[in-house]
Structure formats: structure tokens, C-alpha cells
Amino acid sequence: MEPVYRGLGRCVCCFWLAVAFDIVGLVVLLIGVFVNVFFYDLLIYAGAIVIFLSLIWWVFWYSGNIEVPPAELEDDVGILKKDKGGISGAVRRLSSRVSSGIRSSFHRNGGPSSARAEARAARAQRSAPGALPAEQVAVAMATMTPREDTPYTTASVAADEEMPHTTTETSPI
């Protein structure tokens, strides 16, 4: 038997946290407004932020108390009745066929497939130790040091080019 929740519902802790955040935020905000201190703006902003953060607890409390009958949850959680007929059953069967067809075409045409990647890795390990698999290409790399006697001509080329004329607009103050 399901427990019966009265009054505040299931999420009583979230409710009281939301109320506490609202009260603390309101007190801090009102202190910032009515008490003559030099950091009143900090209190006003802090109170507003705490009141805003109480919205999180209100959302938790509200969403925790939403009740959905099990009949409406069937499709959302994957509990499907097999005896459904009519239009909804036909649409569900069509949707299932289309989605499975799309999934299988991804696997056939080189889409995301962990089995394909595992097979490729197994082939690479089985090949001879000195030989490279067909997908890999050997690249030789060498370290090169810059020469000191090479003249740099980029600065002289840039100095010869003329910059286009641009205008700057200013507004009167």
C-alpha cells in the first residue's frame, strides 16, 4: 500500500529549505535597505541572491510532489502493453521498424560501431611486427634547426606595401 502524503507532500525537507532561504534572504535584504551601514549594497545584493537561490528548493519541492498515474508512465519508462492495437500500435510498430533500420544502416555503412573498431584493432595486432596495417602510413620526421645566415625578407615586403586609408568616426560629447 502506498503511503498517503498530506499537507506538504513528499519533499518536506525541500519545502523548509525554500522557506528558510526566503526568510534569510528577506531579512538580509531588509537590513540592507533600512539599517544605516556602509556596506548596505552588499546586503541588498546578497539578500536578493539568497531569495533567488530559494527558487531551486521550490522547484525541487514542486517537482518532487508531481504525481503521475502508472497508466501514463507506461510509454515513458519502457513498459509497453503488447495488446495495443489501432492507430497507436501501428505507429509504434512503424517507428520501431524505421529506427531499427536506421541503426542497422549506420552499422553497415561505417557509422559508430564498437565491433568494427575492435576488429580493426585485432587485425593490426595480428599483422607482422615489422609490417604496418593497410590503414597506416609510415612518416619519417627529422628535427631542423633554423639557420642564422638566412635573411628574413618578410619585414621588407610588408614595409613596401601601402596600408589602405581608414577613417574613424567620433561622436560629439
Side-chain angles (χ1 to χ4, degrees):
M1 181 175 164
E2 256 186 65
V4 176
Y5 297 102
R6 295 186 190 156
L8 299 177
R10 282 176 265 214
C11 302
V12 178
C13 181
C14 290
F15 175 82
W16 289 116
L17 276 171
V19 170
F21 269 59
D22 279 338
I23 291 172
V24 168
L26 186 64
V27 166
V28 170
L29 185 119
L30 291 177
I31 288 173
V33 170
F34 293 114
V35 175
N36 190 13
V37 290
F38 69 94
F39 55 92
Y40 67 93
D41 53 346
L42 173 73
L43 294 175
I44 292 172
Y45 287 130
I49 289 171
V50 172
I51 291 172
F52 176 75
L53 291 177
S54 77
L55 289 174
I56 296 171
W57 297 112
W58 285 117
V59 169
F60 284 167
W61 175 74
Y62 180 78
S63 61
N65 285 313
I66 295 174
E67 294 186 18
V68 180
E72 291 183 26
L73 283 177
E74 287 175 347
D75 294 339
D76 295 338
V77 295
I79 305 171
L80 299 175
K81 290 184 178 177
K82 299 297 180 187
D83 59 348
K84 278 192 176 179
I87 301 265
S88 64
V91 169
R92 183 164 285 115
R93 284 190 300 273
L94 176 67
S95 170
S96 176
R97 286 181 187 162
V98 169
S99 62
S100 66
I102 291 172
R103 263 187 304 228
S104 65
S105 71
F106 274 133
H107 292 296
R108 277 194 311 262
N109 295 332
S113 171
S114 60
R116 183 182 295 261
E118 290 172 8
R120 188 177 297 144
R123 259 186 301 172
Q125 289 177 351
R126 281 192 305 246
S127 65
L132 293 174
E135 293 92 13
Q136 295 182 357
V137 175
V139 176
M141 300 180 75
T143 305
M144 297 181 66
T145 58
R147 295 183 183 172
E148 295 298 326
D149 59 344
T150 305
Y152 296 104
T153 60
T154 57
S156 63
V157 171
D160 293 342
E161 294 179 7
E162 188 174 319
M163 294 294 290
H165 181 69
T166 59
T167 59
T168 306
E169 294 183 17
T170 59
S171 61
I173 297 177

